[in-house]
Amino acid sequence: MGQEQSSPIDDSTPPQTLKERSVESLASYIKEGHAQKVVVMAGAGISTSAGIPDFRSPDTGLYANLARLNLPFPEAVFDISFFRNNPLPFYTLAHELYPGKYRPTISHSFVRLLSDKGLLLKLFTQNIDCLHQEAGVPQEQIVEAHGSFAHNHCIECKSSFSDHLMREAVTNREIPHCLTPQCNGLVKPDIVFFGEQLPEEFHRNRSLPGSADLCIVMGTSLTVQPFAMLPDLCSEGVPRVLINLERVGGLGSRPDDVLLLGDCDAGVRRLAVALGWEKDLEALWDDTNHEKPTTDGDHKVAPKHKDELLDDQITNLTREVDESLKITDDHTARLRQHLELNQEQSKVSIGASTNGENPPMRDNLEAGAQRATGRRPSIEESPQAGAVKDDVLSTTNPSGLEKPLL
């Protein structure tokens, strides 16, 4: 289930519940009171306009920019086995993505508006950025299917770790360790890594789409199981609306599926206008703007376009990971040049020594060079599993083999 390869419904097939497959008919369905239990399923696409890169975009996604680094595979950043051996790449990434740097998008505020109007049954989100909470969606209405930065625990003894200490560590680019005596294990936020169990909260609520009277899917590729199967759990005849750049999964294959393809924020605004909610939505979104106007002397500085913000984030991310891992060619060349210079100076000192002092020992120099240039132990890729397990974060490729993706 999930990411089913079904064909789009034929235009000649009439809807069962809606008057027609259009945003106007969908808005009428909601305004007439037929949508009292709305389930929303959201992915990274609703956060990109906040300046947070998504994961899979070919040129701008985080994985595309991590692929060139010295990792066994880009997704190793979220692989629990790799993390145990080398947590530095994840914490370099966390420095860029940590909550508090970004403002919720209009899409996040739309979910908040559904909640305020008493229509939201549950929000299932793949996002780890906590922007739904920032937008004011009540925590009890959110199921963080892949966890988030909201809480932290030791991966060994499972002791909790304070948010204050985690933020301090991430800000200072440090790797936090457990404070429990005799443990000192690695600590990480409660983000579900590949190879870890999904939160119990997801399993408790995964049947809720079956009781929904409207399903809204936003900004997700519907690639990762078991999240990808959630839209299929909605009953036949229940309208499902997809607000996304492209058609995904089985959306569009049922008579009452409505596709709003394009930018998520634009699609949300279009639906809000059809509902007559545009003023309420813009007001809620305006409440999330806590930044003071930026000025340069006596002149106001225009805010950056979202594409410029995205470019800045990607540039900062790749630069910091490069620096943290110390794998750039320039670094290697400088180190080699420095060692060669020291060796030459040592030879000169040996030949010219007249005051009885002992010159540096060559074996000590070479040992220092080995320490300076030594890489961390390589992490072998985990064997691919033969089937998708519902309780472990995973995705299935066309060949049926499990491959880590987020």
Side-chain angles (χ1 to χ4, degrees):
M1 302 181 74
Q3 196 68 2
E4 61 188 52
Q5 299 302 313
S6 51
S7 301
I9 193 75
D10 189 271
D11 289 340
S12 63
T13 303
Q16 299 176 7
T17 303
L18 300 175
K19 296 176 182 178
E20 59 181 12
R21 287 184 290 273
S22 68
V23 66
E24 291 77 18
S25 181
L26 178 66
S28 296
Y29 176 81
I30 297 172
K31 289 189 291 184
E32 291 168 3
H34 301 301
Q36 297 293 320
K37 295 182 290 184
V38 181
V39 169
V40 178
M41 302 159 194
I46 73 169
S47 295
T48 54
S49 63
I52 301 177
D54 68 0
F55 291 91
R56 290 187 185 79
S57 293
D59 298 320
T60 60
L62 289 175
Y63 286 160
N65 286 274
L66 288 171
R68 67 183 182 84
L69 300 177
N70 189 30
L71 299 171
F73 47 90
E75 301 88 344
V77 175
F78 292 105
D79 184 277
I80 189 62
S81 297
F82 184 85
F83 178 84
R84 287 179 181 278
N85 288 274
N86 184 7
L88 185 57
F90 168 76
Y91 277 105
T92 301
L93 181 67
H95 182 78
E96 289 299 316
L97 301 182
Y98 206 75
K101 293 186 175 183
Y102 302 96
R103 176 190 176 188
T105 68
I106 199 81
S107 297
H108 294 99
S109 293
F110 182 76
V111 182
R112 159 73 186 278
L113 186 56
L114 287 173
S115 175
D116 287 355
K117 291 183 176 294
L119 304 181
L120 182 65
L121 175 61
K122 194 70 72 173
L123 163 67
F124 291 85
T125 179
Q126 295 173 289
N127 298 342
I128 61 176
D129 52 34
C130 299
L131 288 183
H132 288 295
Q133 292 90 331
E134 290 284 337
V137 180
Q139 183 62 50
E140 62 269 19
Q141 290 186 308
I142 303 174
V143 174
E144 294 170 321
H146 298 166
S148 74
F149 283 103
H151 304 286
N152 321 282
H153 287 85
C154 171
I155 66 173
E156 303 298 342
C157 73
K158 310 305 179 184
S159 296
S160 61
F161 192 80
S162 78
D163 294 340
H164 170 72
L165 291 178
M166 176 61 74
R167 182 176 294 275
E168 189 176 77
V170 170
T171 300
N172 296 330
R173 297 182 176 87
E174 298 173 349
I175 298 174
H177 288 264
C178 183
L179 301 179
T180 301
Q182 286 86 42
C183 180
N184 196 41
L186 288 169
V187 173
K188 78 172 184 66
D190 291 349
I191 297 169
V192 181
F193 279 24
F194 299 112
E196 290 189 309
Q197 302 291 321
L198 267 65
E200 179 59 32
E201 183 183 28
F202 176 83
H203 296 293
R204 288 199 309 268
N205 291 281
R206 62 190 300 176
S207 63
L208 279 181
S211 61
D213 47 32
L214 176 63
C215 172
I216 301 176
V217 180
M218 299 194 296
T220 174
S221 62
L222 288 183
T223 301
V224 179
Q225 293 285 9
F227 188 95
M229 73 177 183
L230 292 177
D232 298 333
L233 300 179
C234 296
S235 301
E236 291 287 341
V238 170
R240 304 185 302 177
V241 56
L242 174 67
I243 306 175
N244 204 47
L245 285 176
E246 59 187 2
R247 178 176 176 265
V248 295
L251 276 300
S253 63
R254 294 185 182 181
D256 292 286
D257 286 352
V258 178
L259 306 184
L260 299 180
L261 302 185
D263 178 80
C264 285
D265 289 348
V268 161
R269 281 192 167 100
R270 183 180 170 191
L271 178 55
V273 168
L275 287 164
W277 294 356
E278 63 269 32
K279 289 184 179 179
D280 291 341
L281 178 60
E282 295 293 342
L284 279 180
W285 189 50
D286 187 61
D287 287 344
T288 66
N289 186 9
H290 304 304
E291 296 182 357
K292 297 179 180 179
T294 304
T295 59
D296 181 10
D298 297 330
H299 305 283
K300 290 185 178 180
V301 177
K304 289 187 176 182
H305 187 269
K306 65 179 183 180
D307 290 339
E308 294 176 312
L309 291 172
L310 182 59
D311 289 341
D312 289 347
Q313 294 298 329
I314 291 172
T315 299
N316 290 338
L317 171 66
T318 54
R319 185 187 65 246
E320 291 181 6
V321 175
D322 270 342
E323 292 173 354
S324 298
L325 296 178
K326 299 185 185 301
I327 63 171
T328 63
D329 292 338
D330 288 343
H331 170 79
T332 303
R334 288 196 303 270
L335 184 59
R336 183 179 293 111
Q337 183 180 20
H338 174 72
L339 293 174
E340 289 175 352
L341 178 60
N342 282 350
Q343 288 175 341
E344 291 299 325
Q345 291 175 345
S346 297
K347 292 177 182 178
V348 172
S349 298
I350 292 172
S353 178
T354 58
N355 57 7
E357 294 181 354
N358 293 325
M361 296 298 293
R362 180 169 179 169
D363 55 348
N364 288 341
L365 180 61
E366 291 178 345
Q370 286 183 338
R371 289 194 299 272
T373 58
R375 293 188 180 275
R376 299 176 183 274
S378 61
I379 309 303
E380 296 181 356
E381 294 188 37
S382 301
Q384 292 180 324
V388 174
K389 297 180 181 179
D390 282 351
D391 58 347
V392 178
L393 185 62
S394 60
T395 183
T396 304
N397 63 23
S399 67
L401 295 180
E402 189 175 329
K403 176 183 177 184
L405 284 175
L406 193 65

